[in-house]
Amino acid sequence: LGWQACSQNSTENSELPYLGERQLVQREDNGQQVTDTLYHRIPDFAFINQDSQVVTSLTVQDKVYVTDFFFTTCPTICPKMKSQMLRIYEAFADEPQVMLLSHTIDPKHDTVAVLRDYADRLQVNSDKCQFVTGEKDSIYSIALQYMVSAMEDEEEPGGFVHSGAFVLVDQNRHVRGIYDGTDPAQVDKLIRDIPSLLPEKKK
């Protein structure tokens, strides 16, 4: 996470960076050549959540969301990540514009019923906290769009390797921050950064 941290050593209330590749696009405006910057944007997606509901890009439209990748039988970092995710959930429990979106990287085991049980044990509300499953290839390819790793690896405990990152995404599906989801100090920063993306909270 070193390079992301370097790009975020700005002051508390400054603009969060846009992460990922960007494109410069030329257009004409009133006879003048204008250059627009197109920032990396999470593509459209569709997964199934713990309530058997389809979760798509429209589900997070106009919302700030924090996303991560996990699996329910993970023996290493996932329990730490979920305890930190619950801190975010509680901090923004009354903020309808903030959502949490967790993708399983083990869809074969993590069926809808398993995710439902997992969400029940965490005592989270489905409107706020979505645990999603889907085609393995779709999950792994969207992880790359979020700039994190998620893949099968027989050498790893549990048979999968994945990033412990929490990815902060704005209302336009631009990645605005990547944080270590196992580090309480990084999660503190994430909790402080989220309000700067909420329109009514901006100073």
Side-chain angles (χ1 to χ4, degrees), residues 55-127:
V55 173
T56 70
S57 330
L58 292 175
T59 310
V60 296
Q61 187 171 327
D62 301 324
K63 293 182 187 293
V64 172
Y65 69 100
V66 178
T67 197
D68 73 323
F69 293 81
F70 80 109
F71 59 110
T72 61
T73 55
C74 172
T76 53
I77 61 174
C78 293
K80 284 184 194 168
M81 290 172 67
K82 284 302 160 232
S83 68
Q84 294 300 321
M85 189 66 94
L86 284 172
R87 291 180 56 215
I88 303 166
Y89 176 84
E90 286 158 10
F92 296 95
D94 299 323
E95 178 48 77
Q97 283 189 286
V98 177
M99 275 187 66
L100 304 174
L101 179 62
S102 290
H103 309 72
T104 178
I105 58 169
D106 185 9
K108 189 173 177 183
H109 175 271
D110 291 343
T111 60
V112 167
V114 169
L115 293 177
R116 173 74 264 165
D117 179 61
Y118 191 74
D120 286 346
R121 279 185 283 128
L122 288 173
Q123 298 182 305
V124 292
N125 180 319
S126 299
D127 293 338

Side-chain angles (χ1 to χ4, degrees), residues 11-82:
T11 57
E12 205 62 50
N13 294 320
S14 65
E15 287 286 311
L16 293 174
Y18 288 84
L19 303 183
E21 292 182 9
R22 58 194 69 189
Q23 272 180 297
L24 297 178
V25 178
Q26 301 279 340
R27 65 181 170 87
E28 197 169 293
D29 185 15
N30 292 331
Q32 299 287 320
Q33 280 293 319
V34 178
T35 302
D36 288 335
T37 302
L38 295 185
Y39 295 103
H40 172 71
R41 190 167 190 257
I42 302 302
D44 290 346
F45 57 82
F47 297 108
I48 303 291
N49 76 359
Q50 68 265 37
D51 297 327
S52 300
Q53 302 294 311
V54 179
V55 173
T56 70
S57 330
L58 292 175
T59 310
V60 296
Q61 187 171 327
D62 301 324
K63 293 182 187 293
V64 172
Y65 69 100
V66 178
T67 197
D68 73 323
F69 293 81
F70 80 109
F71 59 110
T72 61
T73 55
C74 172
T76 53
I77 61 174
C78 293
K80 284 184 194 168
M81 290 172 67
K82 284 302 160 232

Side-chain angles (χ1 to χ4, degrees), residues 1 80 84 87 164 179-189:
L1 288 174
K80 284 184 194 168
Q84 294 300 321
R87 291 180 56 215
Y179 308 79
D180 182 346
T182 66
D183 179 352
Q186 286 264 309
V187 176
D188 287 346
K189 181 171 185 347

Side-chain angles (χ1 to χ4, degrees), residues 159-201:
F160 295 88
V161 61
H162 66 101
S163 164
F166 289 161
V167 182
L168 177 59
V169 186
D170 69 16
Q171 292 95 332
N172 297 308
R173 305 209 308 265
H174 298 307
V175 176
R176 304 299 294 275
I178 301 177
Y179 308 79
D180 182 346
T182 66
D183 179 352
Q186 286 264 309
V187 176
D188 287 346
K189 181 171 185 347
L190 170 55
I191 289 169
R192 291 196 304 269
D193 285 348
I194 288 172
S196 70
L197 297 179
L198 299 174
E200 73 275 15
K201 303 287 171 66

